[in-house]
Amino acid sequence: MSLVSIVIPAYNEEEVIGESYRRLTAVMAQSDCDWELLFVNDGSRDRTISILKDIAKTDSHVRVLDFSRNFGHQIAISAGMDYAAGDSVVVIDADLQDPPEVILDMIKKWQEGYHVVYGKRLKRKGETLFKKLTAKLFYRFLHSMTDVNIPVDTGDFRLLDRKVCDAMRTLTEKNRYVRGLVSWVGFSQTAVEYVREERFAGETKYPLKKMLRFATDGIISFSFKPLKIATWAGCLISALSFLYLLVVIVQKFMGQTVAGWASILAVSLFFNGVILFMLGIIGEYIGRIYDEAKNRPLYIIQEEVGFHHDKPEENQR
């Protein structure tokens, strides 16, 4: 019988974690596979870890990884994949916006021979117009910026075959955009469409600041086009500046003078702003190079609960 590992990253989810466990257990009980629920506590400051430990004591299907601090959602997913023992691995958030019932459809597609089955959102309930619009624009912008075919309107909710997980474990970058990495490794992939529900309880763990950071990671991790844009913008500005210099020289010989300093100041501020913007883009890439050069562990496990198999060879990578 095939073993399916369900990886559930959790950060301050005390209001919903019990219901997540109940729904996931009910869904997997309907499948023809054995299963394990692998919760990754990403440094929660509430009762999330104590609730998970209580659940693990009463259910042998449950395993818990407890991080030493908050390392981030994408790192929690990566740790879950490292420790998952299943023939396939499903990633799903604890907030129940992605319906667990869709997992059964993903398993069917996997049994048909697909290596990756990702959830594609047809509709997003309970989200503001601003969130829906920016998400739609981001996915399409990322798709246009990268040579990797990252499906639009998809999140991290997906099923991965063991071959894909093994390939993912060889990727060691620190600033991770998991859904992009899954597309990068290839293999046969297909979609299961669904309607994303409202959050069951609690507050979103991705406010605007984190969303912007997440979007930056996605673009910079899979595209050099921002650097190319900066290069072409620099060339264009240099050309325009040279033309303006010729105009100034002609005006000088014709005896014409500039009436005031306001226009000169405006032009100077504009070009300085563009230069700083380009330096910022370059700085983002250099910062990621610095992170890779430090070669610190991707995550640190404080405690493991409910595991009955050996640790992965490259844990805390």
Side-chain angles (χ1 to χ4, degrees):
M1 182 182 293
S2 299
L3 173 65
V4 178
S5 297
I6 314 293
V7 173
I8 312 104
Y11 176 64
N12 292 342
E13 296 288 7
E14 64 178 2
E15 298 179 57
V16 70
I17 202 70
E19 181 66 13
S20 297
Y21 162 72
R22 187 192 68 78
R23 291 258 311 260
L24 287 166
T25 300
V27 167
M28 294 310 298
Q30 302 173 41
S31 72
D32 57 357
C33 302
D34 195 5
W35 76 92
E36 65 173 1
L37 303 182
L38 203 168
F39 291 90
V40 183
N41 179 48
D42 187 19
S44 298
R45 296 188 297 270
D46 61 4
R47 295 179 56 251
T48 298
I49 185 60
S50 62
I51 294 172
L52 289 175
K53 286 181 178 179
D54 289 340
I55 293 173
K57 290 177 182 178
T58 60
D59 190 341
S60 60
H61 290 100
V62 176
R63 294 84 169 93
V64 181
L65 291 177
D66 185 22
F67 279 176
S68 61
R69 66 170 178 84
N70 177 244
F71 283 92
H73 180 261
Q74 300 295 288
I75 305 301
I77 292 174
S78 300
M81 290 182 183
D82 287 347
Y83 276 78
D87 302 297
S88 65
V89 177
V90 176
V91 178
I92 184 171
D93 288 341
D95 56 19
L96 296 177
Q97 286 188 280
D98 300 321
E101 291 74 18
V102 179
I103 293 175
L104 297 178
D105 296 326
M106 291 181 170
I107 291 175
K108 289 179 182 178
K109 289 290 185 181
W110 171 59
Q111 291 172 337
E112 291 174 9
Y114 290 100
H115 294 101
V116 177
V117 186
Y118 53 85
K120 184 173 183 178
R121 303 157 180 164
L122 295 177
K123 186 176 179 182
R124 305 164 69 110
K125 294 182 180 179
E127 295 182 351
T128 64
L129 179 61
F130 175 78
K131 176 67 177 295
K132 292 177 182 178
L133 179 61
T134 52
K136 185 175 182 178
L137 291 175
F138 164 69
Y139 287 124
R140 282 149 184 80
F141 177 70
L142 178 62
H143 186 75
S144 67
M145 290 289 288
T146 177
D147 296 329
V148 179
N149 184 24
I150 303 175
V152 299
D153 301 324
T154 63
D156 293 311
F157 181 35
R158 60 191 62 211
L159 179 148
L160 311 175
D161 184 80
R162 169 49 53 189
K163 292 180 181 179
V164 181
C165 285
D166 290 343
M168 291 284 290
R169 287 183 61 193
T170 66
L171 308 178
T172 59
E173 55 250 60
K174 311 302 179 184
N175 296 283
R176 301 176 74 81
Y177 186 68
V178 172
R179 65 196 69 168
L181 294 175
V182 172
S183 296
W184 184 87
V185 298
F187 297 95
S188 58
Q189 306 195 12
T190 190
V192 169
E193 297 179 335
Y194 72 101
V195 175
R196 198 170 201 228
E197 301 293 337
E198 295 184 39
R199 194 177 225 285
F200 179 80
E203 299 179 352
T204 178
K205 304 307 183 294
Y206 267 98
L208 181 60
K209 182 179 179 180
K210 282 191 175 182
M211 286 299 298
L212 290 174
R213 183 65 182 176
F214 187 58
T216 301
D217 284 342
I219 294 170
I220 292 181
S221 296
F222 289 92
S223 178
F224 294 108
K225 288 185 179 179
L227 289 175
K228 293 180 180 179
I229 292 172
T231 300
W232 285 109
C235 292
L236 177 62
I237 291 171
S238 297
L240 292 175
S241 300
F242 179 74
L243 291 175
Y244 184 67
L245 176 62
L246 295 178
V247 172
V248 171
I249 293 173
V250 171
Q251 288 178 335
K252 178 67 175 178
F253 280 103
M254 293 179 65
Q256 299 177 358
T257 58
V258 179
W261 292 98
S263 58
I264 296 176
L265 182 62
V267 171
S268 176
L269 291 174
F270 171 74
F271 286 124
N272 287 338
V274 172
I275 291 171
L276 290 174
F277 175 72
M278 290 188 291
L279 287 175
I281 292 176
I282 296 171
E284 287 289 342
Y285 283 93
I286 294 175
R288 280 157 175 74
I289 295 172
Y290 178 57
D291 277 344
E292 299 298 328
K294 287 185 290 188
N295 198 31
R296 292 174 180 169
L298 192 60
Y299 55 86
I300 297 175
I301 301 297
Q302 178 172 260
E303 186 177 3
E304 303 171 20
V305 180
F307 285 89
H308 307 297
H309 54 79
D310 294 335
K311 298 179 182 179
E313 294 178 0
E314 300 176 7
N315 70 315
Q316 301 188 18
R317 58 190 170 89

